[in-house]
Amino acid sequence: MRRKIGITIPEMIKTAFSTKITKSYPFKELDVSERFRGKLEIDPDKCTGCGVCAIVCPASVITMVEVGKRKFRDKEVTIRRPIFNLYNCISCGQCVDDCRFNALRLTKEFELAVFDKNSLVMKKAIEHVE
Amino acid sequence: MSDKDQAEEKLAKISTGLIQYSPEGLVPFGPVHPALKEPEYFKIILEGEKIVQVIPRIGYAHRGIERALQDRNWIQAIYLVERICGICSFSHSLAFVQTVESLTELEIPRRARYIRLIIAELERIHSHLLWLGLVGYWTGFDTLFMWIWRDRERVLDLIELITGNRVHKSYATITGVRRDLPENIERHIQPAMKYLSDRVKFYKEIINSEATILIRTKGIGWVSPDVAVRLCPVGPLLRCMGFKRDVRTDDPYAAYDEIVPDVKTSTDSDVHSLLNLRLDEIEDSIRMVLEAITSIPTGQVKSSIPRAIPRGDAMGHVEAPRGELFYFVRSEGGNKPVRVKIRTPTLANILTATEMLKGHTLADVPVVLTGMDPCFGCMDRLTIIDIGEGKRWQINGEELRRYGIEWYNKNR
Amino acid sequence: MVVSHCRRRQDLKTNIKSWAQKNSLWLFHVNAASCNGCDIEFVASLTPRYDIERLGAQLVPSPRHADVLVVTGTVNPLMRERLKRIYEQIPEPKYVVALGACAGGGGVMKGCYNVSHGVDKVIPVDLFIPGCPPRPEAIIYGLMKLRDKISGGSHE
Amino acid sequence: MINWIFQLLVFPGLTFFVWIAFAFEWLERKTAAKIQSRVGPLTAGPKGFLQPVADYFKLIFKEEIIPRNSDKFVFLFGPPLYFSVPAIGAAFIPILGEKGVLSHSYDLLFILFIMAFSVLMASMLGYAAGGRYSTISIGRLVLQYTSYEVPLILSILAPALLARGLSLSKIVSSQISHWHVFYAPISFAVFLIVSLAELEKPPFDIPSAKTEIVAGWMTEFSGRPLAYIKLTKNLNYVFLSSLATTLFLGGPLLPIDVQDEFLKTILFLLVFLIKTFSVGFLIFIIKSALARIKIEQATSLLWVITTPLSFLQLLLIVLFR
Ligand code: SF4
Ligand code: SF4
Ligand code: SF4
Ligand code: SF4
Ligand code: SF4
Ligand code: SF4
Ligand code: SF4
Ligand code: SF4
């Protein structure tokens, strides 16, 4: 091995004049890849309140809340719907895999920064019922 | 007397109280320090610029994952072990999943085993590149750092294309992988691998001839192989001392029995040989990924996942980028593990690193400490937390017991 | 007359101030018991593909030089005091960004015994960037939001 | 008198140099970004040109935190004093003619004194700030200074010998037809190396190595004092580049004679700026291509290689003139 000094200089010059690598993201839209796992979305029409998603979620994102009561064969049954604390969601997609009614999906949205973390709580499913 | 012997003697004197060290001689390294992206604390005892002793103080990233695993079901646990660490996240989930699978005697589809190999090797490339870039950063060579991280993005792109996230793949599952490879993925993999192998050649040239890098790394962090036998490091750190140990060949998993890695060793056991060793490993990984993607069989990628895992104990290990990652799982037949024990590479390596540092100067600390590529995320699941302010942090069993009794008496 | 003149000068000063602050966010990064995922994505956002230096952001080595404290991870008890101390070392005006699901509310570590479910339980947080880990573009988006906040909120 | 004060404070004195310092930082960051295949500052002003200005103003408006165990007086008033060192030095540099604003017949010695004083100020500031990292950093700074001082003096002596005079104006005027760099190339190289050391840039950024000792002696500073320190570092950069221009590259002088006074001034300024920026650029390229070395390696490099080399150069000059 011969010791040299500054062997990176040719490469530096080459890089300085090569094509731009930096994405112009905040100034232009970005396409994310097809499978990217971003923000979770729920389709309130499809959700039946079965509660499977709340059981499988590894990050305890989902809590089932009572939204009303229903008569079912002379018995009072509570209706529940999920609330998602999305600031905890790790976008793993396990709930999506396990929801048998296809009510959930992961969108490609990634621009989630907020000033108030409670604004990330997704209550779509319970608002829909009311 | 060599520097090392002198250091040993100094140390003996310190521990017997013969020498008192002024606070100036003690340099804190961390827990928040620009060289370490992770919180870790090293008490470094100096004499002038020379290091006499390094005391690692772990626990700044302790989160209690092993305990939490006892409350998670088998599927949730995969996502949790993956998040022990963001650099070799797939190795963690793979090791866990394989350990669980060995309890069940389930058949893992051959295609899934190939896919696991591809992701594991992509992860190795990404991890080694990340580390190499950081070596540039630690030696003040920002240009090198930026170039290498730019090239690393190519690997991350592939990982995102296949798994949907750049860092936490969430891809392995019991009995296989969660999704099949996207169509025509080889069209993305091949050019990226070609580009990377060219770049790796170029970086090798830099590492082996740029004088400022050579004088910073050659002969630095040398430890004798006897020390290695005593302190049992794993992974590249062990291999650079001349021991040919690699879980991928010693106990093949995934598809490593069909695509055999070429385990490289070196005998210099200094930081410079680590650099070369890791670059060689990247080249080998590139070869393996290309081989796997051309010879991948068709078929399913997972079979049906059992709800409960049969009773039993199992151990499993994989070769993470930093060395052997070991899992122990005990199941009592329920839907949750009863105990999971994880032995991670960094924990195994940290003692060797402190040995590597002795006799060097403060300027070598970042290079050496990070030469073994520590990432404390995984090391810090097991620690003793100091009780109260101002107390010594080493507490022995007796103190702990007394503390426990007192605490219970107070809080009853 | 005098009053309005004064106010105009005051306006100029605040304008310069908010312009300068907005365009020069110096970041200090603390890993408070995270899994490194967020940290490497944060470092990646400095690298060529994303390059947050375009927005004038820069990583600084000492908290005394910083404007923005970027916290990743779950903040375990051992880091809690240190985090507070680092927060106090940063000169005003300062902003805190909680990066990642762990820093937002515990993330996947929710329920672990040694974490403090959210940085906001320890120090006041100005911006949450959720995701596990947030991709570098999400971090850039967060910084843009912070910039807007600085330029908008400086007149009160 | 008023003219003189204007020259000293505005053009071509302080204000002018401060703006060049800002421009230098912008250029440095932008080129660094280009080399690393990034974009660099973009949003502050056109192409990010006002980025250093934004940084400066932001620091000015920030709170100053004074560490408990620091020397408050030095901590607050040291930075402006530190700033004044290269600012005064810059006034000796001939820009618009053969004479600088403050020039006199032994100003080269004064320049040497100023460079030593700047290191002294830095170590004083670090010491006043207290803190372990600052202490280590100062140790390194002083050690490094003692090892590059001799090559610095020797390399500056070469153009002085060639010009047979110890004043900058004499050195400049002796270079109308032939630059000293052609007669003393080794000294020029040594001067560049020493500049890297004086500016704490790689491979000699040992006193402020951020991966080892946080921000070196600047660790404890914040707000306005930090703004001054940052600005001073850039001003130092400009000062050293312009000094190299003056000593080795013929300063602002042109080989042709221009009659029109105004045109002459403009041309001088232009020539001077081009040369200074080129030297700055050269320093910058060397810096980006190297990794940081260790302090003992730095001292041995400076003593064992650069000192004999600059001696050799002086010997050659004495023998062949
Ligand atoms: S989202 Fe799906 S799994 Fe969750 S409660 Fe609704 S239907 Fe059940
Ligand atoms: S994506 Fe994962 S973390 Fe998020 S709600 Fe679903 S299961 Fe929970
Ligand atoms: S060391 Fe003990 S407490 Fe800590 S994670 Fe492991 S099992 Fe839990
Ligand atoms: S016997 Fe000892 S080691 Fe085993 S579980 Fe009990 S306390 Fe732990
Ligand atoms: S050694 Fe541990 S912390 Fe490091 S990358 Fe691997 S799992 Fe993560
Ligand atoms: S945890 Fe204790 S018993 Fe277990 S391997 Fe480590 S030192 Fe040995
Ligand atoms: S006392 Fe021992 S067993 Fe208990 S948490 Fe601490 S390390 Fe674990
Ligand atoms: S949010 Fe996810 S990636 Fe970030 S530190 Fe937590 S577990 Fe790791």
Side-chain angles (χ1 to χ4, degrees), chain A residues 20-33 110, chain B residues 153 157 160 166, chain C residues 47-52 54 135-137 140, chain D residues 37-39 42:
Chain A
K20 208 176 94 187
I21 298 284
T22 312
K23 286 186 195 167
S24 36
Y25 162 62
F27 312 109
K28 273 204 197 109
E29 291 278 298
L30 177 89
D31 318 326
V32 291
S33 72
F110 62 89
Chain B
E153 290 290 326
D157 281 350
E160 188 184 322
R166 292 153 45 89
Chain C
T47 57
R49 179 82 76 87
Y50 309 102
D51 191 23
I52 52 175
R54 284 179 298 163
R135 53 184 297 142
E137 285 94 350
I140 293 176
Chain D
S37 70
R38 292 188 288 130
V39 176
L42 193 68

Side-chain angles (χ1 to χ4, degrees), chain D residues 126-155:
Chain D
Y127 200 69
R132 279 191 196 129
Y133 295 122
S134 311
T135 319
I136 297 175
S137 165
I138 290 160
R140 292 174 168 197
L141 190 74
V142 173
L143 194 57
Q144 187 162 302
Y145 176 70
T146 47
S147 44
Y148 73 70
E149 191 180 19
V150 176
L152 171 72
I153 294 174
L154 291 180
S155 67

Side-chain angles (χ1 to χ4, degrees), chain B residues 232-338:
Chain B
C232 352
V234 292
L237 202 61
L238 184 64
R239 289 198 282 275
C240 92
M241 292 168 188
F243 298 90
K244 199 165 183 166
R245 287 272 184 285
D246 191 319
V247 183
R248 290 177 296 169
T249 51
D250 298 348
D251 180 13
Y253 55 96
Y256 286 113
D257 45 350
E258 290 164 43
I259 294 168
V260 183
D262 176 16
V263 181
K264 304 274 194 329
T265 55
S266 152
T267 46
D268 293 349
S269 54
D270 59 1
V271 175
H272 185 255
S273 71
L274 270 171
L275 284 167
N276 269 325
L277 191 78
R278 289 216 166 91
L279 280 169
D280 286 343
E281 284 190 9
I282 295 177
E283 281 184 334
D284 196 41
S285 296
I286 291 173
R287 189 209 86 214
M288 285 162 70
V289 169
L290 287 177
E291 232 170 79
I293 201 75
T294 46
S295 61
I296 189 164
T298 49
Q300 283 212 311
V301 294
K302 64 177 170 192
S303 38
S304 68
I305 301 166
R307 197 149 290 213
I309 301 295
R311 172 189 293 266
D313 291 354
M315 286 180 247
H317 51 181
V318 302
E319 182 76 16
R322 283 153 188 80
E324 184 191 10
L325 172 62
F326 168 90
Y327 267 71
F328 166 84
V329 175
R330 166 174 288 174
S331 160
E332 289 192 344
N335 63 348
K336 285 174 189 164
V338 172

Side-chain angles (χ1 to χ4, degrees), chain B residues 322-385:
Chain B
R322 283 153 188 80
E324 184 191 10
L325 172 62
F326 168 90
Y327 267 71
F328 166 84
V329 175
R330 166 174 288 174
S331 160
E332 289 192 344
N335 63 348
K336 285 174 189 164
V338 172
R339 175 79 174 97
V340 179
K341 158 79 190 141
I342 309 162
R343 210 280 306 254
T344 49
T346 302
L347 187 62
N349 285 344
I350 190 82
L351 283 174
T352 316
T354 58
E355 198 64 30
M356 286 162 93
L357 271 173
K358 279 185 200 159
H360 289 300
T361 59
L362 188 62
D364 294 323
V365 173
V367 178
V368 173
L369 215 50
T370 39
M372 66 143 211
D373 200 359
C375 21
F376 302 101
C378 74
M379 187 171 81
D380 276 356
R381 290 155 301 90
L382 184 96
T383 189
I384 293 175
I385 303 166

Side-chain angles (χ1 to χ4, degrees), chain A residues 90, chain B residues 63 83 167-168, chain C residues 34-39 72-74 99-103 108-109 131-134:
Chain A
I90 58 170
Chain B
R63 288 155 291 180
R83 279 161 180 81
V167 173
H168 284 311
Chain C
S34 93
C35 80
N36 300 344
C38 288
D39 310 71
T72 56
T74 51
L99 193 65
C102 284
V108 77
M109 309 296 164
C132 182

Side-chain angles (χ1 to χ4, degrees), chain A residues 42 47-53 64 99 101 103-104:
Chain A
I42 186 168
C47 177
T48 58
C50 67
V52 168
C53 51
M64 300 299 293
C99 176
F101 304 94
L104 296 169

